[in-house]
Amino acid sequence: MGWTVPWYSVPHDAVDRLIADRHFGILVSYLRDGDRVYETYWTTGRGNELMAPSYGLLDLTVYGRQEFWEESPEGWPQRWDSKGGQFRLDGRPTAQWSRLAAGRSDDLGT
């Protein structure tokens, strides 16, 4: 994308230590200085709205955001847990289901 800022990914075995019991939807900024890395900022929930404007769109819908404090009438959708369950179906990412339903294989080979 032409960015001049270096981007780094996190090894899978380090994720739990970095998240430190903060819930799904965390937005974190780090600063690397040589071999040291510093967490400079983190936010969750409504603090993410600048990066995810869809939250504001949810405010305009009949069901709203389904916040924990909201009391939804019986039969309305209920809020998911904070571990990303809304993005998975039977352990698979939800986006895969339409591909599998169309008869595509999920065997990625070796």
Side-chain angles (χ1 to χ4, degrees):
M1 297 184 98
W3 292 329
T4 58
V5 177
W7 290 86
Y8 302 92
S9 61
V10 176
H12 186 70
D13 61 345
V15 171
D16 288 337
R17 288 178 290 167
L18 290 172
I19 292 178
D21 293 327
R22 295 173 284 195
H23 67 70
F24 178 79
I26 185 172
L27 176 66
V28 186
S29 296
Y30 297 97
L31 172 68
R32 183 177 184 153
D33 184 17
D35 290 338
R36 298 191 64 153
V37 176
Y38 302 92
E39 184 175 298
T40 60
Y41 176 79
W42 74 271
T43 188
T44 60
R46 295 208 175 201
N48 286 326
E49 290 184 17
L50 293 175
M51 298 295 284
S54 58
Y55 289 119
L57 294 174
L58 284 173
D59 289 337
L60 303 175
T61 67
V62 172
Y63 296 127
R65 295 188 193 203
Q66 295 297 303
E67 298 281 5
F68 289 117
W69 53 265
E70 289 184 83
E71 293 182 15
S72 299
E74 189 173 329
W76 279 32
Q78 300 300 309
R79 183 180 174 94
W80 291 85
D81 65 19
S82 62
K83 299 191 185 313
Q86 69 272 37
F87 300 115
R88 301 187 83 66
L89 189 59
D90 292 335
R92 294 181 178 274
T94 306
Q96 289 185 359
W97 281 101
S98 58
R99 184 176 57 80
L100 294 173
R104 305 290 196 284
S105 171
D106 64 347
D107 181 7
L108 299 176
T110 55

